[in-house]
Amino acid sequence: MTCRVSGSTSSLTTRRSSGNYGLRTLAPRIIDLLLASNESSHVALDTKNGATIVHVLTGFASSFDRNMSAATRQKLYAVGYTTTATALAALPTVASA
């Protein structure tokens, strides 16, 4: 895949065998990449500083889905809650003084 920026129209397009994709198609993907990169740096720093990171699988949902179904929202909540509860239960308990 190749990307090009057209100087006259300021439109970002990518060329594939199936056609051109405009900014509307690419913007969510670019933003996802930027967010993932930023998130990765924060996770690495927080882990280095001793934080416990809980990874929740969310690949079945898109962060830009404005019309996400209630079932998908419920699944996100359930997966997040279960994963977090499991991680909390696995943490060592600290005796209070």
Side-chain angles (χ1 to χ4, degrees):
M1 175 184 353
T2 59
C3 290
R4 65 179 171 83
V5 177
S6 172
S8 60
T9 61
S10 297
S11 64
L12 178 64
T13 59
T14 185
R15 191 139 177 85
R16 297 179 105 180
S17 59
S18 60
N20 286 329
Y21 296 96
L23 189 56
R24 281 184 172 233
T25 302
L26 291 176
R29 292 184 178 109
I30 293 169
I31 292 169
D32 277 343
L33 286 172
L34 293 171
L35 290 173
S37 173
N38 189 33
E39 181 182 359
S40 294
S41 65
H42 283 279
V43 167
L45 178 62
D46 292 341
T47 301
K48 182 179 177 184
N49 289 329
T52 299
I53 306 298
V54 178
H55 297 280
V56 179
L57 299 176
T58 59
F60 57 88
S62 169
S63 59
F64 287 97
D65 186 0
R66 293 183 181 169
N67 302 310
M68 186 182 295
S69 69
T72 302
R73 290 181 193 276
Q74 183 60 40
K75 184 175 179 181
L76 282 168
Y77 174 80
V79 169
Y81 186 87
T82 302
T83 304
T84 303
T86 302
L88 286 173
L91 289 176
T93 56
V94 178
S96 60

